[in-house]
């Protein structure tokens, strides 16, 4: 098999480091590492990857990493809200007042997520 490109190797290294930080409970660091890894993977898919099988494999990993990054981001956001505004016992929390568990409905309020999703979608459109 051909040698791995420097950008692909960097993406793999970032993803591995992200997984290590994630397992260690360093979620903020893991989130940033996942996001950087996805950016490198997308660059590889767009400019360097040869063969549809390789591109498909990278896209699948990007989707996994984006999903995990989104879960971490949501966790950190909720953790931050709880630390800032402790809720008195017996009162509903702000999340309870909304009455829904947003599955992607609040996407527009996160420009970084939107940017990465658009890049990923762009890769899907151009290479299928």
């Amino acid at each position: 098999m051909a040698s791995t490109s420097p950008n692909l190797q960097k993406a793999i290294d970032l993803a591995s480091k992200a997984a290590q930080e994630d397992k260690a409970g360093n979620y903020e660091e893991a989130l940033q590492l996942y996001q950087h890894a996805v950016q490198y993977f997308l660059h590889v898919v767009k400019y360097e990857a040869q063969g549809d099988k390789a591109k498909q494999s990278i896209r699948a990993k990007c989707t996994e990493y984006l999903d995990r990054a989104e879960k971490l981001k949501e966790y950190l956001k909720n953790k931050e809200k709880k630390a800032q505004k402790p809720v008195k016992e017996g009162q509903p929390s702000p999340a309870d007042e909304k009455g829904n568990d947003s599955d992607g409905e609040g996407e527009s309020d996160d420009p970084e997520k939107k940017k990465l999703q658009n890049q990923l979608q762009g890769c899907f459109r151009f290479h299928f």
Side-chain angles (χ1 to χ4, degrees):
M1 185 168 179
S3 66
T4 306
S5 78
N7 286 323
L8 180 57
Q9 190 58 52
K10 177 77 171 171
I12 292 168
D13 292 344
L14 285 168
S16 297
K17 179 78 171 144
Q20 289 172 357
E21 294 296 333
D22 196 350
K23 287 178 185 173
N26 301 325
Y27 300 128
E28 291 173 11
E29 182 69 17
L31 173 62
Q32 288 189 347
L33 289 167
Y34 280 128
Q35 290 172 336
H36 285 103
V38 167
Q39 288 175 340
Y40 272 92
F41 278 125
L42 291 176
H43 176 85
V44 170
V45 166
K46 194 168 185 180
Y47 299 110
E48 298 176 16
Q50 301 98 6
D52 290 337
K53 217 172 194 180
K55 291 176 184 178
Q56 191 174 14
S57 175
I58 292 170
R59 283 190 205 106
K61 280 295 178 189
C62 281
T63 302
E64 285 178 37
Y65 296 141
L66 280 174
D67 288 346
R68 183 60 185 155
E70 186 56 33
K71 287 178 185 175
L72 289 176
K73 186 178 279 188
E74 194 65 33
Y75 170 80
L76 292 169
K77 190 169 93 175
N78 288 337
K79 181 180 168 186
E80 187 177 291
K81 281 182 182 179
K82 287 179 184 177
Q84 288 177 354
K85 294 184 177 182
V87 178
K88 291 183 182 177
E89 194 171 324
Q91 291 183 348
S93 70
D96 293 338
E97 290 172 4
K98 286 182 183 176
N100 66 359
D101 188 28
S102 63
D103 288 341
E105 290 178 12
E107 291 179 28
S108 62
D109 64 348
D110 189 353
E112 191 170 324
K113 178 183 175 192
K114 215 41 160 170
K115 178 183 167 189
L116 288 173
Q117 284 181 331
N118 287 338
Q119 288 176 337
L120 189 57
Q121 289 298 333
C123 286
F124 287 137
R125 278 193 293 265
F126 293 122
H127 298 290
F128 278 121

